[in-house]
Amino acid sequence: MKAGRHTIILMQPSQNRASRTFMDYNSINHALDGLCGLYERKLRDINPMVPNITYDITDLYNFIDGLADISALVYDHSIQAFLPYDRQWIKQKLFQHLKKLAQR
């Protein structure tokens, strides 16, 4: 995974098309951290009295699967264009990313 690959996450949390939004990151890893942060904020909103919230990859997958739509656009320097990636790709990258973090 190359650092510095501009990544845009496009997502629609609910069936309402007005919920569509995007998040802009300067690398794939920052985008993955951003998605984890989004999920962690949601968990804190749901469980305001719990000081330390833990979750596993299955919980994160369920969150990603619960979104009406999500995809990533990753800039490819060789063709100077953004390439689209789907929900499965995002989940695979999240798994690899969290595995790397856990090994630190």
Side-chain angles (χ1 to χ4, degrees):
M1 222 180 313
K2 285 185 220 134
R5 289 183 65 191
H6 187 175
T7 302
I8 300 169
I9 299 291
L10 304 171
M11 61 186 248
Q12 182 178 326
S14 71
Q15 291 303 322
N16 181 350
R17 289 170 73 97
S19 71
R20 285 180 173 173
T21 188
F22 73 94
M23 297 173 296
D24 206 334
Y25 300 96
N26 58 17
S27 74
I28 295 172
N29 283 343
H30 285 135
L32 298 172
D33 287 338
L35 282 172
C36 291
L38 194 70
Y39 179 56
E40 289 162 13
R41 281 191 295 282
K42 183 184 174 181
L43 287 178
R44 278 198 292 276
D45 290 346
I46 297 168
N47 308 290
M49 304 312 284
V50 180
N52 295 320
I53 293 173
T54 59
Y55 61 92
D56 64 23
I57 194 72
T58 311
D59 301 321
L60 191 56
Y61 284 173
N62 288 337
F63 168 71
I64 298 292
D65 286 337
L67 300 170
D69 196 14
I70 186 167
S71 60
L73 296 173
V74 180
Y75 192 75
D76 186 325
H77 294 279
S78 65
I79 59 169
Q80 298 197 341
F82 282 91
L83 294 176
Y85 294 96
D86 65 2
R87 188 186 306 260
Q88 276 311 116
W89 182 88
I90 292 170
K91 287 163 60 174
Q92 186 187 344
K93 289 293 178 195
L94 278 167
F95 178 76
Q96 293 167 356
H97 183 64
L98 292 174
K99 198 169 151 186
K100 254 186 226 146
L101 291 178
Q103 288 168 347
R104 283 186 185 162

